[in-house]
Amino acid sequence: MKDSAAMSLEQQALQVQASQLLPMITRKFFKLGYQNMAHQRISQQADNTQIYQGITRAQHEQFGDVMIKWQLSMDDCSSEFHNEAKVLRALEQNHKNLIATAPSVLAFDILHLKVLEKQQTLTLLVMPYYAQGGLAKYLTQPLTELQKHQLIMQAARLIAHLHNAGWSHGDIKPSNFIINNNHSIDTKNPALLLTDFALAKLIDPNSVESAKKNNLKTSSGTPAYLAPECWQGCSTTVQSDIYAFGIMLYEILMGERAYKIDNQSHEPIRDWAIQHCQQSIPLLPSQCRRYQLILDKALAKRVEKRYLSMEEVLEDLSYL
């Protein structure tokens, strides 16, 4: 784990690099018709300091208010951007006459430019901008039991739609659900969309991956929502999406995650693994007890004890 001094130096270096990169990227965006740009985030990939990623809010004459997810790299190594665009387009085609599952792809561009005397590839994924933000922020306000149940049902349906379209997500969590203000202006009962498909993959029903015991090497994903089998070397699946939904269900009901670690932990990976693999499933208070059986089955440590599909989860939720 990096100490605060090292992190501070990295952040300072990133700020210097960003001050050189962003003006050039801004000019490139402007030539593509984007205006009133606000760069909201820039970061480096943890395992490659030569790859920069960012999120920029902008306006476009044809598209309106947009969010641009972009990546700048020495070569075309933007596989996660290609993957996300492919999943979004597949969902749009699959559900074009049904409920919207995810944001639409307004544009996907791969550009080449010279930055800091080096030839670089700039990949852009452009989607509508949703002013009301994400579910994670929405959950910080007081909610009624009915509102919580509606959010749980909506999230479950979106994940089920994704699975039915043939994809697993790989990173289910509240911050990857956004409020679709284009279809619902009622902030008390928002419509949700599922987003961030960088880790999504096609479901292979014949693929069974063995766990690597006593190994803290994990699949990609967010540690607070990562299923026990992922901590043992297995890749994410429909069942690991269901587990992450269970963590999220608890979070919607209780306002906090089912499992937590010390923010000052020197071994956060090991601590998260212990929480998910060894800690018992939390008990809900009396006012939420009707969800306990669903929570127990969604958060089962062993995959074979867990729900087989989100359709089964929805069926049980429909009885509440």
Side-chain angles (χ1 to χ4, degrees):
M1 187 176 182
K2 297 178 181 178
D3 59 34
S4 57
M7 289 294 290
S8 178
L9 288 174
E10 286 186 3
Q11 291 169 353
Q12 290 176 18
L14 181 59
Q15 288 176 353
V16 172
Q17 292 159 348
S19 67
Q20 298 172 306
L21 295 172
L22 290 180
M24 288 177 278
I25 292 172
T26 300
R27 287 195 294 271
K28 200 70 174 180
F29 288 174
F30 185 78
K31 289 181 180 179
L32 293 173
Y34 299 101
Q35 299 180 341
N36 300 324
M37 285 166 273
H39 298 292
Q40 298 182 333
R41 191 176 76 198
I42 181 172
S43 62
Q44 291 176 315
Q45 279 197 354
D47 57 347
N48 193 330
T49 57
Q50 298 302 309
I51 298 178
Y52 299 88
Q53 294 180 336
I55 294 178
T56 299
R57 182 184 172 186
Q59 291 179 324
H60 191 276
E61 184 177 1
Q62 178 184 354
F63 304 140
D65 290 336
V66 299
M67 181 186 74
I68 308 170
K69 295 178 70 172
W70 56 267
Q71 177 171 284
L72 185 70
S73 59
M74 293 290 291
D75 51 32
D76 187 13
C77 56
S78 55
S79 59
E80 66 181 53
F81 278 64
H82 286 279
N83 190 62
E84 184 160 11
K86 180 171 68 175
V87 176
L88 287 168
R89 285 170 172 157
L91 290 174
E92 192 170 17
Q93 179 65 27
N94 193 67
H95 299 297
K96 61 183 178 180
N97 296 319
L98 302 173
I99 184 173
T101 304
S104 57
V105 177
L106 301 176
F108 182 73
D109 296 305
I110 299 175
L111 311 172
H112 300 284
L113 65 160
K114 198 168 186 179
V115 180
L116 305 179
E117 302 303 320
K118 296 178 181 179
Q119 196 67 25
Q120 303 265 14
T121 298
L122 180 63
T123 306
L124 285 69
L125 176 60
V126 184
M127 295 175 284
Y129 175 76
Y130 295 93
Q132 292 185 35
L135 179 57
K137 181 179 179 181
Y138 185 79
L139 292 178
T140 60
Q141 62 183 301
L143 300 172
T144 66
E145 296 304 311
L146 177 59
Q147 288 173 322
K148 292 177 182 179
H149 185 72
Q150 289 173 334
L151 290 172
I152 290 168
M153 291 295 293
Q154 284 190 48
R157 288 193 189 103
L158 291 177
I159 301 169
H161 290 158
L162 177 67
H163 291 171
N164 290 337
W167 299 86
S168 62
H169 188 277
D171 198 17
I172 295 294
K173 57 184 177 181
S175 60
N176 281 339
F177 289 82
I178 55 177
I179 297 174
N180 183 9
N181 55 302
N182 292 336
H183 290 78
S184 174
I185 59 173
D186 182 0
T187 58
K188 294 182 179 179
N189 297 289
L192 300 180
L193 290 174
L194 186 55
T195 189
D196 198 347
F197 297 93
L199 301 178
K201 61 183 183 180
L202 284 168
I203 296 169
D204 180 2
N206 299 315
S207 175
V208 179
E209 301 192 39
S210 59
K212 301 173 184 178
K213 302 299 182 182
N214 302 317
N215 188 348
L216 290 182
K217 179 181 178 182
T218 69
S219 301
S220 298
T222 303
Y225 302 85
L226 209 54
E229 65 272 14
C230 296
W231 293 100
Q232 298 167 338
C234 291
S235 63
T236 55
T237 61
V238 165
Q239 272 65 47
S240 60
D241 277 357
I242 292 171
Y243 181 90
F245 170 78
I247 299 288
M248 188 169 139
L249 182 151
Y250 184 92
E251 191 169 350
I252 292 173
L253 291 174
M254 303 303 300
E256 61 181 15
R257 292 171 180 160
Y259 302 116
K260 297 181 286 291
I261 66 168
D262 187 340
N263 290 334
Q264 304 303 316
S265 171
H266 294 291
E267 295 185 278
I269 297 300
R270 172 174 288 276
D271 290 349
W272 276 120
I274 291 172
Q275 286 292 311
H276 289 292
C277 298
Q278 298 181 16
Q279 280 287 354
S280 58
I281 297 170
L283 291 176
L284 294 167
S286 57
Q287 66 268 26
C288 302
R289 194 63 51 82
R290 60 191 176 126
Y291 293 94
Q292 188 68 55
L293 292 178
I294 297 173
L295 186 71
D296 290 345
K297 198 168 180 180
L299 294 184
K301 305 295 184 186
R302 295 171 60 183
V303 175
E304 61 268 23
K305 299 290 185 182
R306 212 174 295 157
Y307 282 107
L308 289 175
S309 70
M310 284 302 300
E311 297 290 351
E312 290 185 358
V313 179
L314 278 167
E315 183 176 359
D316 284 352
L317 284 170
S318 68
Y319 291 118
L320 300 182

